[in-house]
Amino acid sequence: MLPIADSLVYLSRGSTCNITFTTFAIITATTTATATTAATCFNAVAITAPVFGSQHINVDAAVDTVVNQKFTRVFGKHRPATSLPCPVSSCCEHVLPSMWKIHMDRHASGALPGKIPQGWLSLNQYSVCSSCSTLVAISHTHAHISHCSGSNSCVTDINHAVDTNDPGVTMDHEYPSFDDILSTSFPTIKRIPVCARQAVGRVLLGILQSIVFQESIIAWKKLFMFPKCILHCNQRRGRSFKPSDIRKLCELWDTGHELELWNNVISRSIAYSKKASKTSSCQQHLDRRRVTIATALAEEGLFSKACRMLTSSGIAANNEETCKLLKTKHPYVPIASPPINIPPQSSVDLLPSDFNISAVLLSFPKDTSVDLLAVINKLASGRALPEIAEYLAGATVIALKKPVGNDIRPIAVRDVLRRLTSKCLCAIVKSKASEFFNPYQYGVVCPSGVEKIIHSLRSSIDDHWFDEDFYVAKVDLRNAFNLVSRNAVLENCAEFFPEMFPWTLWCYGVHPKLWHPMGMLRSATGVQQGDPLGLLLKIAEDDMCGELLFNKWYLDVGILAGTSLSVRAALDVISSLGPFLGLYINFAKCEVFGKAAFPSEITKRYHTPQLEILGAPIGNEEFCNNFVINKQSSVTFLLQQLQGLENPQLVLALLRKCAAFCKMTHISRVTPPTLIKSSLSEFDASIHQCFTECLALNLLPQSSGWKQACLSLSRGGLGLRSVAVHSTAAYLGSVSSSSPDLASSHYVIDALNLFNLQVSAEDTVSIPLPMKSHFQHDLSQRIENCQFHALYNSGSLADRACLLSISSAHASSWLQVVPSPRQGCDMATSEMQWGIKWWLGLPLIPELGVCAYCPDKALVHTMLLLANLGEM
């Protein structure tokens, strides 16, 4: 178990969400002092010093930390640490004084070979708890039992038994139920203060240790109670929660006052619910709240979430209609029965001790947040308590409004432990899954799967559209994730992925609970969105792949192409076999494209090869341009919201990160640039208008200042890349990485010729395209090189010097910081406007203006006057 040094809290942004499901810590190893404190979580008071041989060592983590810091300040180097031999005869390790408790606990739990000598335990007045396998000071055995949930069997190995009828011992029935814990809604803090992370890490590590070494329900209850008891938001102080307050709560938790802390949470939750019920639901208030939340997200560096919040349709009202829609999307069916051929359960941990869990953690969004290897192994092998399954596999449900129609989209905020366990198992079976799903399912273990489908479908339509009998069918499965049969999931998982079966059965062998403000629901059918539905379509695909010319799926969306007979036969196979798997074709959303009539229940039939698939247009130039213009209308609403923020620094960060070029990246990668050039130019014009209005700049689209702003930050620009200019690089990069076999098509040749006109002679590209993972970035760099040199050559001597200066290393750091007032990185509106003008070489004073105090018009002199006098 790694020592805890840092704890980052992930907070669900919805105020009504159950924070327990989304609050955890990422644990990393640093100082040894932190390790000592983390290891003492089960002892309610300070641990007495151990005796190694004849040396008596004082091991107080807090004092040790202070001494280390003072020694470093005075002598300019770290204080040397004295390591001592382990008293276990079979262990040859030398242990630092601040690490002795963790090391001895590992011997006691069996993680390290060898038994702790009885003489050493007696000499140091310690015993080993037979329930949680940790060292316990004999004088503090009573306090330890209040933390050790296996209290009935908590007997030490030197016969210091404890009376379980002691009124100081907390029993299971005294703790709140799981339903009470998880249904209690209360906001928690966004981030644990640095000064409190050590204390929080100590408590959390103790809870995780008790989960690993005990078969105890109380340990799980403590895990769910922990964030609400320790990390709750102080309503009076708002977000400025003092670290000392959190440390005091951790001390109360350590001394066995969990129930008192929980009672405090209950009273706060009642007050919070009353306050939330009085909140105005008028549209003006909701708009202000949306802007406030989006600003807070952007200040945390979560720019994508901030943009989604600005354009969100909002959360559906908590009424009977919403409750009815939720029940419709979560129908009840009997609990899934285990398959007949259950793979044998192995007692060996699925994840080896050297498993790179850090890589899995990094795959999460950066606002998610554990050393959890032992806990994950317990869950992945299905050895965790079955009573916990319906809670850990459950979720808090948020009903989001759909932009069109009176419908909702249920979003389940699931436990990060469950997500982390699933990701680790997916990492183990990744290579096997890649072979299994190929060549039909492109939504699972298939990088650039969407792009491969779109490029190949465009090529197939070009090659076969003028055949006498050729049809394309776009198939949609109705509510597939929520309706798919769990029996089919378990049977296929047991047959093809036995490594994942214990965990899958543990999660889907029950009806997990879903919490919503209108009440509790049961998830009785379906899978978590994102599970590999291609596995369930395998039977149908094998039967129809011989006749179809094109048969590719992205999760629950399929594209079939071939003769009318083969396409019709494929639809019949899905219609007949699908219900056994819980899959039903949604004929209202399906579409057929062909020159003649098509006998089918599908009502949407078209006779031209112009279709939208997976967010991209396939058709002629007019159709593709109209598609991009319609897409731009949704982006226009976002740009209008940005102008209402009245924060130029925040607006520029959002434009650069996710509201400008990023909005058209997918379309530009999968659509030939010759088909959408005019519409992309219109999109660039809208970005230019938003930028100039938000920063109050007089900047023409063809001016050198705007050309500079379109360069990357490393080139002295603002990172507002032109989509029309870089669409050639995006398209060629996509073809190179996803569909190199289509590099000789006329679309690629046209894009290649257009790209070569944008770069210098030495940067041109020819067929075959190189197979590079970052080919688009390489091509964009070549375009920017040409733009940079053109801008440099057209400027004066002073302009050239400024451009070279601001394109040097780290010159743009002030533009890359997260605009966070909490970190002191925010800039006033006037400061940002003047900074951008100076960066782009725009005049800071009116043309031919003269200083009011002297005839000097020099730039530095003017800025000094502004700083000192506040006026010209």
Side-chain angles (χ1 to χ4, degrees), residues 258-333:
E258 302 99 330
L259 297 182
E260 289 84 349
L261 293 175
W262 179 251
N263 292 333
N264 185 31
V265 170
I266 295 296
S267 60
R268 289 174 176 268
S269 178
I270 295 174
Y272 173 75
S273 300
K274 291 181 179 179
K275 181 179 179 181
S277 62
K278 297 179 181 179
T279 302
S280 173
S281 59
C282 66
Q283 187 61 40
Q284 185 177 4
H285 173 78
L286 295 177
D287 291 341
R288 288 199 304 267
R289 177 171 173 78
R290 184 170 64 242
V291 171
T292 301
I293 296 176
T295 302
L297 290 171
E299 291 173 353
E300 297 292 329
L302 308 176
F303 300 110
S304 296
K305 287 189 174 182
C307 287
R308 288 199 298 268
M309 176 58 65
L310 288 173
T311 57
S312 172
S313 300
I315 299 175
N318 297 328
N319 51 33
E320 292 297 332
E321 183 180 359
T322 300
C323 186
K324 183 179 179 180
L325 290 173
L326 285 173
K327 290 181 179 179
T328 303
K329 293 182 179 293
H330 297 86
Y332 179 83
V333 296

Side-chain angles (χ1 to χ4, degrees), residues 330-525:
H330 297 86
Y332 179 83
V333 296
I335 294 179
S337 57
I340 298 176
N341 299 321
I342 299 180
Q345 185 172 359
S346 175
S347 59
V348 181
D349 290 338
L350 292 173
L351 306 181
S353 57
D354 59 348
F355 180 79
N356 187 10
I357 194 173
S358 299
V360 180
L361 285 167
L362 290 175
S363 67
F364 278 89
K366 68 176 182 179
D367 58 328
T368 312
S369 52
V370 212
D371 176 60
L372 278 180
L373 193 58
V375 179
I376 292 173
N377 268 318
K378 193 172 188 118
L379 292 171
S381 59
R383 299 195 302 263
L385 293 175
E387 297 88 344
I388 310 298
E390 61 180 354
Y391 301 101
L392 190 66
T396 297
V397 174
I398 304 173
L400 299 180
K401 295 179 183 177
K402 285 190 175 181
V404 180
N406 187 23
D407 199 1
I408 61 171
R409 178 180 287 109
I411 301 297
V413 184
R414 300 183 183 274
D415 193 288
V416 74
L417 261 181
R418 176 187 176 178
R419 295 163 57 199
L420 186 58
T421 304
S422 299
K423 283 212 171 195
C424 291
L425 289 174
C426 288
I428 292 178
V429 302
K430 183 176 181 179
S431 58
K432 182 192 294 187
S434 179
E435 297 176 0
F436 180 80
F437 291 122
N438 187 59
Y440 302 111
Q441 180 54 254
Y442 287 76
V444 183
V445 202
C446 182
S448 305
V450 173
E451 298 177 6
K452 291 179 180 179
I453 293 176
I454 297 172
H455 288 313
S456 57
L457 179 60
R458 191 188 304 276
S459 177
S460 296
I461 292 177
D462 288 344
D463 294 340
H464 300 285
W465 179 255
F466 293 101
D467 294 349
E468 290 185 4
D469 189 11
F470 179 76
Y471 293 87
V472 177
K474 186 168 68 172
V475 183
D476 182 81
L477 301 179
R478 175 166 54 89
N479 198 18
F481 288 103
N482 288 331
L483 296 180
V484 68
S485 171
R486 288 185 180 174
N487 286 319
V489 172
L490 293 175
E491 290 175 3
N492 283 276
C493 187
E495 180 179 357
F496 301 109
F497 301 101
E499 304 93 335
M500 301 181 67
F501 178 76
W503 171 242
T504 307
L505 180 63
W506 193 86
C507 290
Y508 292 137
V510 296
H511 285 173
K513 295 185 176 182
L514 304 175
W515 283 269
H516 186 265
M518 291 301 296
M520 188 269 293
L521 303 170
R522 289 278 186 176
S523 175
T525 184

Side-chain angles (χ1 to χ4, degrees), residues 649-670:
Q649 185 186 16
L650 194 61
V651 170
L652 180 58
L654 291 174
L655 283 175
R656 184 174 64 250
K657 294 290 186 178
C658 55
F661 184 85
C662 298
K663 285 296 181 182
M664 291 295 170
T665 299
H666 174 63
I667 293 179
S668 60
R669 282 181 63 87
V670 297

Side-chain angles (χ1 to χ4, degrees), residues 2 13 123 383 433 566 676 735:
L2 292 175
R13 305 304 172 185
L123 182 63
R383 299 195 302 263
S566 62
I676 54 175
V735 172

